[in-house]
């Protein structure tokens, strides 16, 4: 099993048409699981495969898809971009540890992207920004960065500078390694690492100076090194500082891409692993919403099981204080999991997607549903890969997977250890609009 630090539970969020499906598809392609490049325009992408979805003409999507990159497991959780699906968006935001927000390099910040942004703010989702469609006529990277700063009041800071734009968009200069990555073919597979093109030197130096200044404002070590000798700040220092700043949402790293032309997707995957938090980091940050069970902590004895579940308030100060004074590993704690989506699959039947916060779900377990006050049996567990289901015996803390055929479970229900019943939320979400209502 992977360590908690090797998981990334992330959502790709975007205004409809910014390229969320294409970015997701390309990420799956580069992570090696989708062997054939799907195309949105041909309607054969993985995320667009639901016929219900086609009927409505908007991008919602199936699910949460698991993939792997550089020794990390990335669970891509779909966040619907359509404004009518606010409840569904919010539900999925609860289970994310981080987000990639996609903007179009030409259209910039649009009303819907503002809605998505505010929702991510509400759930305190750390995020990075991808400015996509750099190949479009009228694409303007820095203009969109400025719009994000002004219209969304967000501290968006480029970590890359695009090489060219529109038809001439050919690569990105990484402001941390100070190298240019230039794609030399349209399948985006091949790129060369080169010197920074002469005409970009000045803009790159200015952008790096800006990035270092921003980081030195939030990181004392960087500040000291930077004020002594900016050249002494290493890439490792910067990665660590950016990770911390992103986690605490004081800074939002911005990247450039033309996903459709397969440019900028591998650096995006690297950025997901580098800058977005693991469940462990988020667990520490949001101790109040992740009930790590302290010894003598927030538990009720098994004799109380048949009576009532314990409600763990999101803002419960006393429980977070307890968590801090008695830190317990998320893996070793009793089970707490949230059912965040119910799906119907032709092959597997009813699937309940769950995010496990603490402990683990095993096949054969009896778990407590806090809403119905009943025990339910976990008969089969699946991991959803881009092209197949993989049967698993366990879904551990920090991970996401699907339970097959769970009865009487709705989205928003908490599943927990019957000896330690918990309810993660008191929010009543509307019934799902698709699948098993
Ligand atoms: P979504 O609605 O956000 O999921 O967006 P899609 O991925 O469906 O993309 C919307 C349209 O933009 C499709 O026609 C894509 O082919 C196109 N598109 C996506 N990425 C790019 C890109 O990098 N450059 C250009 N020019 N078009 C793109």
């Amino acid at each position: 099993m992977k360590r908690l630090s090797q998981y990334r539970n992330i959502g790709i969020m975007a205004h409809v048409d910014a390229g969320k499906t294409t970015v997701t598809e390309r990420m799956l392609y580069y992570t090696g699981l989708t062997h054939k490049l799907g195309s949105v325009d041909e309607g054969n992408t993985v995320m667009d495969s639901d016929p219900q979805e086609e009927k409505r003409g908007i991008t919602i999507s199936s699910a949460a898809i698991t993939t792997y990159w550089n020794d990390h497991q990335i669970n891509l959780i779909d966040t619907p971009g359509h404004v009518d699906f606010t409840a569904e968006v919010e539900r999925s935001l609860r289970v994310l540890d981080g987000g990639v927000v996609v903007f179009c390099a030409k259209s910039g910040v649009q009303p819907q992207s503002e809605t998505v942004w505010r929702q991510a703010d509400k759930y305190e989702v750390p995020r990075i920004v991808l400015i996509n469609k750099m190949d479009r006529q009228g694409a303007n990277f820095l203009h969109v960065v400025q719009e994000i700063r002004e219209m969304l009041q967000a501290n968006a800071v480029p970590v890359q500078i695009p090489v060219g734009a529109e038809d001439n968009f050919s690569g990105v200069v990484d402001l941390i390694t100070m190298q240019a990555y230039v794609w030399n073919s349209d399948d985006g597979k091949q790129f060369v690492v080169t010197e920074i093109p002469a005409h970009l030197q000045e803009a790159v130096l200015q952008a790096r100076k800006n990035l270092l200044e921003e980081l030195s404002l939030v990181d004392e070590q960087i500040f000291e090194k930077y004020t002594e000798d900016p050249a002494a700040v290493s890439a490792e220092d910067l990665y660590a500082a950016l990770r911390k700043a992103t986690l605490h949402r004081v800074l939002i790293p911005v990247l450039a891409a033309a996903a459709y032309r397969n440019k900028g997707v591998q650096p995006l995957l690297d950025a997901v692993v580098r800058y977005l938090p693991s469940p462990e980091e988020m667990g520490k940050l949001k101790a109040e919403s992740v009930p790590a069970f302290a010894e003598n902590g927030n538990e009720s004895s098994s004799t109380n099981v048949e009576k009532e579940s314990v409600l763990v308030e999101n803002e419960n100060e006393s429980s977070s204080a307890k968590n801090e004074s008695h830190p317990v590993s998320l893996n070793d704690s009793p089970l707490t999991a949230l059912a965040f989506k119910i799906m119907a699959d032709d092959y597997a039947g009813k699937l309940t997607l769950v995010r496990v916060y603490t402990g683990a779900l095993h096949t054969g377990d009896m778990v407590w549903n806090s809403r119905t006050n009943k025990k339910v049996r976990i008969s089969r567990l699946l991991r959803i890969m881009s092209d197949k289901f993989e049967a698993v015996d366990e879904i551990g803390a920090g991970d996401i997977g699907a339970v097959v055929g769970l009865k009487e479970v709705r989205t928003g229900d908490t599943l927990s250890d019957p000896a330690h019943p918990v309810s993660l939320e008191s929010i009543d979400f509307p019934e799902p609009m698709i699948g098993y209502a």
Side-chain angles (χ1 to χ4, degrees):
M1 198 196 279
K2 294 213 172 293
R3 291 191 310 274
L4 275 167
S5 60
Q6 289 168 294
Y7 289 106
R8 296 291 178 274
N9 293 312
I10 64 153
I12 316 286
M13 306 172 208
H15 183 284
V16 169
D17 221 38
K20 185 178 81 171
T21 312
T22 309
V23 169
T24 307
E25 195 62 38
R26 292 329 193 241
M27 286 172 90
L28 294 173
Y29 173 71
Y30 284 107
T31 51
L33 291 171
T34 305
H35 303 296
K36 180 173 148 285
L37 268 185
S39 155
V40 177
D41 301 318
E42 287 162 24
N44 62 354
T45 63
V46 177
M47 299 294 269
D48 258 342
S49 57
D50 186 341
Q52 289 264 12
E53 203 173 306
E54 280 163 34
K55 240 188 273 161
R56 278 185 261 139
I58 52 170
T59 303
I60 52 169
S61 96
S62 49
I65 299 179
T66 296
T67 189
Y68 300 92
W69 184 253
N70 283 350
D71 213 22
H72 286 71
Q73 178 180 321
I74 300 177
N75 295 319
L76 285 173
I77 299 140
D78 187 55
T79 53
H82 197 277
V83 80
D84 288 353
F85 287 84
T86 302
E88 205 171 328
V89 176
E90 295 205 358
R91 197 187 294 137
S92 56
L93 290 178
R94 290 178 60 87
V95 299
L96 303 178
D97 296 320
V100 175
V101 187
V102 183
F103 292 90
C104 168
K106 178 170 185 254
S107 312
V109 176
Q110 293 168 277
Q112 246 183 61
S113 30
E114 258 187 272
T115 310
V116 173
W117 193 270
R118 303 286 171 224
Q119 281 160 340
D121 278 345
K122 183 173 160 196
Y123 286 97
E124 303 180 344
V125 177
R127 68 209 89 145
I128 57 181
V129 157
L130 183 74
I131 299 184
N132 187 38
K133 302 199 187 184
M134 277 303 302
D135 60 323
R136 264 189 87 180
Q137 270 212 342
N140 188 329
F141 179 77
L142 291 178
H143 181 73
V144 180
V145 174
Q146 201 51 34
E147 271 190 6
I148 297 169
R149 294 179 69 88
E150 284 167 12
M151 294 169 70
L152 304 173
Q153 295 90 40
N155 191 21
V157 182
V159 294
Q160 296 176 342
I161 289 294
V163 179
E166 305 180 346
D167 277 346
N168 294 323
F169 175 64
S170 58
V172 291
V173 176
D174 186 315
L175 295 177
I176 296 186
T177 59
M178 289 298 267
Q179 282 176 316
Y181 297 82
V182 177
W183 286 270
N184 57 8
S185 64
D186 241 10
D187 66 7
K189 276 188 203 151
Q190 298 187 338
F191 62 91
V192 283
V193 182
T194 63
E195 298 283 300
I196 299 165
H199 71 281
L200 277 181
Q201 285 276 358
E202 203 176 311
V204 164
L205 288 175
Q206 182 56 43
R208 180 172 161 96
K209 184 165 175 274
N210 183 39
L211 174 64
L212 263 72
E213 280 173 1
E214 288 284 351
L215 286 174
S216 62
L217 285 178
V218 294
D219 190 297
E220 236 169 76
Q221 279 181 327
I222 299 268
F223 177 76
E224 279 166 22
K225 283 192 187 171
Y226 180 67
T227 41
E228 268 172 34
D229 174 14
V233 187
S234 71
E236 290 316 312
D237 290 340
L238 289 175
Y239 286 138
L242 256 172
R243 182 174 184 78
K244 203 166 82 183
T246 310
L247 172 69
H248 291 279
R249 297 182 301 118
V250 290
L251 189 152
I252 292 153
V254 184
L255 296 91
Y260 188 72
R261 297 192 183 221
N262 308 305
K263 290 176 180 160
V265 183
Q266 301 110 310
L268 170 66
L269 283 158
D270 289 339
V272 163
V273 167
R274 274 190 189 130
Y275 307 134
L276 292 178
S278 70
E280 193 173 34
E281 287 162 308
M282 283 307 275
K284 278 185 196 144
L285 191 72
K286 297 174 110 183
E288 70 272 16
S289 60
V290 182
F293 293 77
E295 286 162 290
N296 310 319
N298 234 325
E299 310 169 0
S300 65
S301 76
S302 52
T303 52
N304 285 339
V305 163
E306 304 304 322
K307 289 184 194 156
E308 215 175 44
S309 60
V310 178
L311 181 69
V312 177
E313 306 268 7
N314 272 351
E315 303 297 337
N316 187 333
E317 282 175 20
S318 61
S319 86
S320 56
K322 267 179 206 161
N323 292 340
E324 268 166 30
S325 52
H326 300 279
V328 174
S329 135
L330 299 185
N331 267 317
D332 297 337
S333 304
L335 170 74
T336 321
L338 182 72
F340 66 93
K341 180 145 183 161
I342 314 275
M343 283 168 51
D345 179 78
D346 286 348
Y347 164 75
K350 180 184 175 183
L351 294 179
T352 304
L353 295 192
V354 290
R355 155 95 198 231
V356 177
Y357 288 94
T358 59
L361 265 179
H362 305 94
T363 48
D365 278 355
M366 293 300 291
V367 300
W368 183 252
N369 181 341
S370 59
R371 184 183 52 82
T372 59
N373 281 348
K374 284 186 186 156
K375 286 185 199 170
V376 281
R377 186 167 184 277
I378 305 296
S379 56
R380 281 174 66 207
L381 293 172
L382 299 176
R383 197 176 280 301
I384 305 175
M385 313 299 284
S386 65
D387 52 355
K388 63 175 193 283
F389 293 117
E390 201 178 280
V392 289
D393 295 330
E394 180 180 310
I395 301 171
D399 205 355
I400 279 167
V403 189
V404 183
L406 258 193
K407 293 208 174 66
E408 284 187 61
V409 172
R410 287 195 205 151
T411 50
D413 285 1
T414 305
L415 303 175
S416 58
D417 180 345
H420 306 273
V422 199
S423 174
L424 284 169
E425 59 176 58
S426 50
I427 302 167
D428 261 343
F429 287 116
E431 280 302 306
M433 295 177 198
I434 51 167
Y436 292 80

